[in-house]
Amino acid sequence: MVGDFAVGKTSLTQKFVNNVFSDKYLTTVGVKIDTADVSDTKLVVWDVAGRDALSPINAAYLAGAAGIVLVGDGTRPETIKSFAEIWQTVSGKLGDVPVVVALNKRDVDGWEVTDDLLQTSIQSSWAVFETSAKDGSNVPELFAALVDRINC
Amino acid sequence: MPQSLPDNINQTLMQRLNPAYLRLDATMKVTQTSSNLSEYGFADITEGVDATEHIDFLVGVDPAQALSLPVVASPNGHPVCIELLPEQGDLNVIIADAREQFDLQQKLQQKANENQLLLEKQRTLLGELHAAKAELARRNTELEEASRLQSSFLSGVSHEFRTPLTSILGHNDLLRKSLAAETRPKSDKKQIYTDAVRRASQHLLSLVENLLDHGKLDAGEITINPRPVQLSTLQNDLEMLLRPLADAKQIDLLMQRQYPVDESVYIDESRVRQCLINLAGNAIKFTDKGSVTISMAHKDDELQLRILDTGIGIKKEDLAKIRQPFWQVADTGKAGTGLGLSITERIIELMGGEMTIQSEYGRGTEVSFSLNAPATDASINLDQAREAAFKDQVSILLTEDDLDIAQLVVILLEEANAKVTHVENGELALQALQRDSFDLVLMDLNMPIMGGYETIRRMRDDGNHTPVVIMTASALEADMHKAQALGCDGYLLKPVEVADIVAIADQIIVPLE
Amino acid sequence: MSDRSSQIELLQQRYRTSLIEKSVEIAELRIQYESTDDDESAALASQTLGDFLHKLAGSAGMYGYTEIAISARNIMMTLQNDDSGQLSAQLDQLIAMCEQASDGTST
């Protein structure tokens, strides 16, 4: 799980793994590792600390990843524009791994995802999901899609 | 450094970090463990088991690569630091306590990110604020446009209303006259009915006038044209107009004059008169006993006007509201358009004055304003009239039955570079208009054989659009409305001064070239 | 003195002289008005008096007799309001003003 800080990486993971959600923002330090079974596949989810102004993503945490969930906040277009830079770090470390994209916080007012933004920030090979960690919409679909892509 | 010191440091660090240890072979099978592994929540890890089945962070990692993971949440929630160190085909895994670093970083990062989020929120809100402001500005422009459209619509409608209203008033007057000439039993109420029609129509007409003025003010169509005015004449005229109203309510109408009897000043007479009639009319309307005083003082080129009454006064909380258009005191039962005062205030402002209202509820009200009004040369009238002249010679048809007036006006106009033809009634005027063309017709209203209104109506019916200026001794408002409705271009009140004729003619005569 | 100035002066003199005739005419019209016994003739007398006052108001003002003009206009107003008590006193006053103005020697 990679993306800018406060886009909801931990929330998505927690919703998916433990079916819990909290509105309170708690920053992730380093990495949190969780597992979940998707059909017959054991998915080990590395919930990596978000990228912020001071710290880029620590590529060490990406080691051995079979796929990537790129998470952006649909109410903060900047976090979607960041995909390009994050993708550079990721692909530099892992090459062309399977990617699914979560445009999160679909439940919140002020959705600012435009076609223009999608075209410039999202590669055509990525599967895009508008998700809500709060109400869970598209969360299972997101991870299922990633597993599909990894298993292909 | 004594040898004891590094040993000491080493010991302290080892205590604090409490490193756990694990050694794996190339197939990720556990070959060696330290006893404190369970303190980090790694259970069931014994020699021979596949480490990737028990330790999530080892899934997918390359055992031949060194890897340093500074902060990882361990299975029991403890933050740990993990070092993967390959050694001769095996992999050493060192797990150490990272609570201190975690706590520190957690605090810093939480704070920094929250701040950043707030900044972003602020930026978004500022953006929204800007957008809202822009939207507001756009709506304001729209509203102004709508208001302008409404004003011009109002003016248009008001104008349309005026003609039929004037007709109603005129025909009602005819009806009253013919009723007056009839012999009727005392019980006959026809006269009362026509009076009611007259009152209602006049009220409607004044409403329409006010709406028109309001629209004109909004559209900036009202201009102020100061001309020499004799103050005593202005005040006398006011007295004449208002006296009957005051008498009807049995209150005193007092005139205070603080200026030399022949003082003339530059003001827009009709606008000042309109304001004073409005204000004094209000004063009379809201005064049931006592007096209304109209005070005019002229000093140092400033005209001070005050209308004082001993009427019902205005409540403090109503003082601000009464200036708004269409607002009326709710419980007085007085008829009105609610426009008079707001129009008056706006006209006063247009003339450079400021209206002040002081009032004590139950005791009375004082409305005052001052205007810049430079004194003119004291000896105007005939002398000044002789100075005014038309730039190019104009031909004027004077229609006036009173020879006293006609002869004087002819002489004065000729002196002012006009060629004057004089006829004594409307029928002769129509004949003259068929023979010759004129730049201007000066028309008396009250004439034998054919009066002024009838003459103008026939002129216009014949397709003759020579400008007509009415001269009359009657100051009744209704005459002015009627004149405008008939398409008159100007209106002069007797005594007419040549300067007035020249001024009005200059405005309305379009040069033929 | 120019031709026109003397013409104007002539007119003014003539008007001043005419004021005495006018005062007489007012007095006559007043008697007519006050002595009518039916509505029809009353209305007619009122109309005639009103017309005369209307003219007087116009011309007197033109010749600079402002007070006479104002008085005439005021009486027109009274006439419309049918206030006979006030009318009588006002007419007395107007007649006196006209006589006085006509007696004046200077221009």
Side-chain angles (χ1 to χ4, degrees), chain B residues 245-265:
Chain B
L245 301 178
D247 287 349
K249 292 192 73 179
Q250 292 185 310
I251 55 175
D252 290 327
L253 179 65
L254 308 172
M255 291 285 160
Q256 281 180 4
R257 302 159 197 259
Q258 289 166 273
Y259 48 84
V261 73
D262 58 349
E263 183 86 310
S264 281
V265 300

Side-chain angles (χ1 to χ4, degrees), chain A residues 5-6 25-35 42 44 46 49 52 54 58 60-61 63-64 76 93 112, chain B residues 52-53 56-61 67-73 101-102 105-106 109-110 112-114 116-117 120 124:
Chain A
F5 72 94
Y25 171 62
L26 185 68
T27 183
T28 302
V29 175
V31 67
K32 271 193 286 206
I33 297 166
D34 271 294
T35 57
K42 179 183 176 190
V44 182
W46 288 47
D52 62 39
L54 297 173
N58 186 344
Y61 295 127
R76 287 156 64 213
K93 177 87 181 174
E112 284 193 46
Chain B
T52 58
E53 280 179 15
D56 291 336
F57 69 78
L58 289 174
V59 176
V61 304
L67 186 65
S68 167
L69 304 173
V71 181
V72 179
Q101 202 202 336
F102 178 89
Q105 203 173 336
Q106 163 85 37
Q109 199 172 302
Q110 180 79 20
N113 289 356
E114 276 175 357
Q116 187 64 28
L117 284 173
E120 280 179 21
T124 311

